[in-house]
Amino acid sequence: MYRLLACIALILATVTAMDRVLASALGDLLLRSSDRFMTVYRPFEPEAQPAVKPPAKQEEQPSALLVKAALTTEARQAKGPAATVASGPADVLVLGNSRADNHFPVSALQDMTCGRALNLGMGGAPTVLSALLWDDYVERHGAPRLLVLEPTGVVDNPHDLADLPLLAYYSPRIDAFVRQENHELWMANHAFNLMTFNNNQTMRLVAGLLKPAGDRTLVGAIPDPLKAQLAAAHEEMMTADDANWQALEHIVRSAQAQGTRVAVVITPYFPTYAGKLKNFDAFFAELKARLPAGATVIDARRAVDKDELFMDALHVNEDGVRAMFAALEADLRPLGNCPVDAMASLTGAGNTTH
């Protein structure tokens, strides 16, 4: 009997040790993924900046490459708190649910703000999860100079964990939140660490090891059956939980306290769906009223109105994203770090040859 118990104990100890070793190796491997969320938890190593050529002489027309290099250099050397280059991997950070994830491709955002962008939008994520990601990012890398916050995660269930559980392996803050919201899941993940990686997100991270992750804009147009379904749907009300309201305020106040400019950008809704929301305007009026003073609100709910520019009721497609950015430019670009004086002078230098 004692031998049997000893054998069982030895087997359990071996399995536990193997679980810890394999989970640690897998966690370290996935940390190298190009997936955007791993950027938060991977130590940041600044890239060496290439030497910039001297400005072109007045009689020479600068090439597009030289113009871009000069603008980038001047942006990095600009003075003042809002122009300070972030110490971490991003000058511009995006937070929110899938409407942030799919509506703010980093390529377009970088062009508009003249800075490195990181999109931490997470599908289905309530604002309480965005607050956790914000705190983790700032704790590890310092605050970015611009925060773009898509606020409609306030309507999502604040107890929904979305893709967060895998990140608990890297974040004590997120691990504590998982323990609070789903104690059974937390216990299983801590009893066998490999359980933490038993999800679709692990496959996404593995894919990020094989090739760089691209922008996550959506391709396609809203199908006619869905349009008919939305047209026939009953009216509904938009509501938000207090936990999400508090998280929204926390993010904005925390960003402002660290000198980060905040742009709260409400992205488009499919017009038919918006028409079914009885308190559509009243809800967003309340949202704006709840925001701390000083946050810039860019209300783009109706900036896109053509059916073919939507993927579904809540998301525009890639053409819709381009239309949305065109509508946002006048309000969003001034919050970036593009050197207007340099752009004007370089443009003028180019025109002298014509």
Side-chain angles (χ1 to χ4, degrees):
M1 183 66 178
Y2 292 113
R3 290 182 179 178
L4 176 60
L5 293 176
C7 287
I8 293 174
L10 179 60
I11 291 171
L12 289 175
T14 301
V15 169
T16 301
M18 289 180 63
D19 170 69
R20 299 295 187 267
V21 171
L22 292 174
S24 178
L26 181 57
D28 290 344
L29 176 65
L30 295 180
L31 197 58
R32 304 173 195 170
S33 171
S34 64
D35 183 82
R36 59 220 158 96
F37 293 106
M38 291 299 97
T39 305
V40 179
Y41 302 104
R42 182 172 55 243
F44 175 59
E45 298 178 0
E47 297 179 2
Q49 296 301 321
V52 179
K53 296 180 180 180
K57 295 179 181 178
Q58 186 167 350
E59 64 271 12
E60 297 176 351
Q61 180 179 359
S63 68
L65 182 60
L66 282 177
V67 170
K68 184 174 182 180
L71 290 177
T72 302
T73 302
E74 186 159 336
R76 293 182 182 278
Q77 295 175 347
K79 306 298 183 183
T84 301
V85 177
S87 59
D91 302 301
V92 182
L93 194 68
V94 179
L95 288 175
N97 55 17
S98 62
R99 286 163 52 78
D101 181 12
N102 300 132
H103 290 171
F104 291 98
V106 295
S107 55
L109 199 55
Q110 287 174 167
D111 287 343
M112 185 164 289
T113 61
C114 298
R116 302 158 299 164
L118 177 63
N119 189 327
L120 296 181
M122 178 182 288
T127 309
V128 292
L129 302 195
S130 295
L132 296 173
L133 290 170
W134 165 258
D135 288 339
D136 271 1
Y137 181 89
V138 172
E139 182 178 82
R140 288 161 174 78
H141 304 294
R145 57 177 170 78
L146 174 62
L147 171 64
V148 175
L149 177 60
E150 213 293 344
T152 52
V154 294
V155 305
D156 293 319
N157 182 354
H159 304 291
D160 190 342
L161 295 177
D163 291 346
L164 209 69
L166 183 144
L167 301 182
Y169 182 83
Y170 303 99
S171 166
R173 177 179 286 108
I174 292 176
D175 185 61
F177 184 79
V178 173
R179 183 178 185 178
Q180 168 190 312
E181 295 297 324
N182 192 330
H183 195 258
E184 292 76 13
L185 174 63
W186 180 86
M187 289 185 64
N189 289 347
H190 279 264
F192 297 99
N193 288 1
L194 284 173
M195 291 286 291
T196 305
F197 302 99
N198 183 28
N199 47 53
N200 293 332
Q201 287 67 51
T202 297
M203 299 307 298
R204 187 190 68 216
L205 294 178
V206 170
L209 289 169
L210 302 177
K211 64 177 181 179
D215 287 333
R216 293 170 58 81
T217 49
L218 301 173
V219 179
I222 186 168
D224 289 335
L226 179 54
K227 288 194 285 186
Q229 180 181 344
L230 290 171
H234 296 294
E235 290 185 331
E236 56 184 275
M237 298 283 288
M238 298 186 76
T239 60
D241 190 275
D242 283 343
N244 282 329
W245 287 128
Q246 293 168 15
L248 181 68
E249 181 180 2
H250 165 74
I251 294 170
V252 175
R253 289 196 183 281
S254 171
Q256 291 176 330
Q258 297 174 81
T260 297
R261 287 178 171 175
V262 180
V264 178
V265 184
I266 310 168
T267 58
Y269 283 84
F270 187 63
T272 303
Y273 176 69
K276 298 293 182 176
L277 299 172
K278 294 171 63 175
N279 62 334
F280 188 59
D281 290 318
F283 179 85
F284 285 104
E286 179 185 1
L287 185 150
K288 295 171 188 177
R290 284 177 174 266
L291 289 170
T296 297
V297 179
I298 304 176
D299 190 344
R301 286 176 293 157
R302 298 181 173 94
V304 177
D305 58 5
K306 296 180 179 178
D307 289 5
E308 62 269 22
L309 299 182
F310 283 85
M311 184 71 180
D312 56 33
L314 299 175
H315 304 92
V316 293
N317 56 29
E318 58 183 354
D319 292 330
V321 166
R322 282 191 284 270
M324 183 191 79
F325 264 80
L328 296 179
E329 184 168 6
D331 294 314
L332 186 56
R333 187 177 290 279
L335 300 177
N337 200 32
C338 296
V340 178
D341 293 340
M343 176 69 78
S345 62
L346 284 167
T347 303
N351 288 336
T352 59
T353 61
H354 296 288

